[in-house]
Amino acid sequence: MVKKSWGFATLAVHGSGGHDPATGAVSPPIYQSSTFAFHDSQHGADLFSGAAEGYIYSRILNPTTQALEQEIALLEKGDEAVVFGSGMAAITNTIITLCNSGDNFVSSRTIYGGTHALYLKVMPRINVGVTEVDATDLNKIEDAIDDKTRFLFIETPANPTIEIMDIKACAEIAHRKGIKLVVDNTFATPYLQNPLKLGADLVIHSATKYIGGHGDTVAGIVVGPTDIMTEMRKGVAQDIGAILSPFNAWLLLRGLKTLPVRMDRHCKNAMRIAQFLAFHPRVEKVWYPGLRTHPQHDLAAAQMSNFGGMIAFDIKGGLEEGKRMIDALELCTIAVSLGDCDTLVVHPASTIHSTYSPEDREAAGIKDNMIRLSVGIEAVEDIIEDLTLGLKKM
Ligand code: LCS
């Protein structure tokens, strides 16, 4: 029996339902089956009409992905979750669930470059409008909402600038205007931040990141109230078909067991590294919400239980110096993605945020001399030694 009252770390280990009753297997079984046999033809008809409950076909429901959905809903303090084959699929299915052709939504402008690309390339084709605003300015959000706006989307902490948005204040505006608030909680994870408890309607994750935690799976998650999640599952997701495979769901269930332990180390290492970078003569500015110099440090302290594993820093110099610094690193891996056990380093402007025009990038605060670090769980002294080497070669 799973108890909702269990602490986060207990739910992370046991939240998917415990031992398999049939065999006693402690690790949940992987139901690697596309289809499920009916008892007889009437049973098949009853499953399709809704007169009976059960499994039909893995694009519709699979026991392993369902176990993951149950656990993540508990961790995010929501009614239900739906899992997808990627974070982008989770975002796309959310937009299509909440909007019809002719509607629009308002989004924070500092977001993952792939989400920005989805807005630019796909939304015009389905006639859904997007207005990107500086969501740290609540007046700008309010001004952008009109009678066709269906939801407000924010990413906090934001990719890649680690800007913080005020979830409670955004929820208050959204609800006063009669729209939903959707929060991309990828950078924080449910361990550090529960947007639903702060008033958000839906939470999205790229589970590729901290939830999987080992850089071996691409996956997405949406969590929210039963009415919206039922509409998403039955009205949109099963027909679009961007599903997660049972094996990848199992990898995420395994990853979740250690999420609190990994996050504690990510946060501890990141704080030490942010303090190291802040005093380095070749670093112009460090963006880490745990530092008092971060413009939204107090807000981060109020809505997050710790400050996360992501750091951005502006080096003294431009793109060439940045490239020299990154290329000199020996331990840190030059790669996109984040939330892995390994420390990952990337130059956002020339990679993940090259989907922005130079003007939009500047407006979003993504500078050419900004480097993003996804701090891993290695020995922090070794990461600092590697960064010292890179900054010296700059
Ligand atoms: N939301 C956020 C905040 C992300 O950082 C990403 C991917 C996504 C959604 C999309 O998730 P995916 O489909 O990749 O699972 N962020 C990436 C990044 O910063 N580098 O590579 C991918």
Side-chain angles (χ1 to χ4, degrees):
M1 237 329 252
V2 178
K3 289 189 191 160
K4 273 192 178 180
S5 59
W6 277 338
F8 190 97
T10 311
L11 287 173
V13 176
H14 297 282
S16 70
H19 307 166
D20 174 39
T23 62
V26 172
S27 171
I30 305 168
Y31 289 92
Q32 194 70 29
S33 185
S34 52
T35 194
F36 296 85
F38 304 141
H39 308 325
D40 52 30
S41 54
Q42 187 55 45
H43 180 221
D46 288 346
L47 287 170
F48 269 81
S49 71
E53 275 192 15
Y55 302 101
I56 299 174
Y57 184 60
S58 280
R59 175 159 48 71
I60 299 171
L61 198 62
N62 171 283
T64 313
T65 54
Q66 194 180 21
L68 172 64
E69 286 169 349
Q70 177 184 318
E71 178 156 326
I72 201 80
L74 287 167
L75 295 176
E76 271 296 8
K77 317 287 176 216
D79 293 344
E80 282 187 40
V82 178
V83 295
F84 294 94
S86 69
M88 291 314 303
I91 294 171
T92 305
N93 277 269
T94 300
I95 295 171
I96 295 176
T97 301
L98 297 179
C99 291
N100 288 310
S101 172
D103 292 339
N104 69 58
F105 64 93
V106 174
S107 169
S108 51
R109 67 183 175 186
T110 309
I111 47 174
Y112 167 53
T115 310
H116 180 73
L118 175 77
Y119 295 172
L120 291 185
K121 293 198 292 200
V122 181
M123 290 306 114
R125 301 180 67 163
I126 60 169
N127 193 31
V128 169
V130 192
T131 310
E132 290 177 77
V133 298
D134 173 2
T136 61
D137 183 341
L138 300 174
N139 293 327
K140 294 244 166 61
I141 296 177
E142 199 139 357
D143 291 349
I145 297 172
D146 64 28
D147 59 354
K148 289 280 181 194
T149 306
R150 296 293 167 250
F151 70 95
L152 167 64
F153 178 97
I154 56 171
E155 228 187 52
T156 184
N159 189 352
T161 59
I162 330 292
E163 205 170 61
I164 306 291
M165 258 57 71
D166 188 334
I167 299 173
K168 257 191 201 163
C170 286
E172 192 277 314
I173 294 174
H175 297 156
R176 185 157 38 80
K177 296 275 188 176
I179 65 169
K180 307 289 183 204
L181 173 65
V182 179
V183 177
D184 186 327
N185 200 27
T186 300
F187 274 35
T189 83
Y191 182 57
L192 302 184
Q193 175 171 280
N194 282 133
L196 299 177
K197 285 208 320 206
L198 297 168
D201 298 281
L202 292 177
V203 172
I204 292 182
H205 285 278
S206 167
T208 315
K209 312 294 160 29
Y210 291 104
I211 288 178
H214 296 73
D216 51 17
T217 321
V218 175
I221 296 168
V222 185
V223 190
T226 300
D227 56 340
I228 304 177
M229 298 318 293
T230 303
E231 169 60 14
M232 185 175 298
R233 186 189 298 283
K234 299 204 167 144
V236 176
Q238 74 177 40
D239 297 317
I240 289 184
I243 57 155
L244 187 66
S245 78
F247 180 65
N248 284 350
W250 181 85
L251 284 174
L252 297 183
L253 281 167
R254 189 169 70 149
L256 276 171
K257 285 183 196 275
T258 56
L259 179 69
V261 183
R262 286 186 283 108
M263 288 313 294
D264 285 343
R265 175 68 86 98
H266 284 297
C267 292
K268 199 167 161 212
N269 280 1
M271 183 61 114
R272 277 277 304 276
I273 291 169
Q275 284 163 344
F276 156 78
L277 290 169
F279 287 104
H280 199 286
R282 292 193 171 172
V283 173
E284 193 177 279
K285 176 119 188 103
V286 181
W287 306 94
Y288 183 67
L291 296 183
R292 287 186 186 284
T293 51
H294 188 287
Q296 294 120 355
H297 168 73
D298 292 341
L299 174 58
Q303 70 183 18
M304 299 172 74
S305 63
N306 204 335
F307 302 106
M310 299 299 297
I311 301 176
F313 60 100
D314 303 338
I315 52 160
K316 286 186 184 154
L319 181 56
E320 286 315 309
E321 286 81 0
K323 278 184 172 164
R324 272 204 295 280
M325 187 244 153
I326 290 177
D327 288 340
L329 298 172
E330 291 174 358
L331 172 67
C332 304
T333 305
I334 314 169
V336 300
S337 204
L338 57 114
D340 293 3
C341 294
D342 321 36
T343 297
L344 305 177
V345 59
V346 76
H347 175 249
S350 63
T351 60
I352 36 179
H353 290 86
S354 60
T355 55
Y356 281 64
S357 68
E359 299 75 42
D360 287 348
R361 224 172 17 242
E362 198 186 324
I366 308 162
K367 297 193 205 150
D368 279 353
N369 62 339
M370 177 178 275
I371 290 173
R372 191 190 76 178
L373 261 189
S374 168
V375 176
I377 61 169
E378 302 97 332
V380 71
E381 298 76 19
D382 295 329
I383 308 172
I384 290 176
E385 188 182 298
D386 202 40
L387 292 171
T388 306
L389 181 85
L391 288 163
K392 200 187 270 177
K393 293 256 177 80
M394 205 171 100

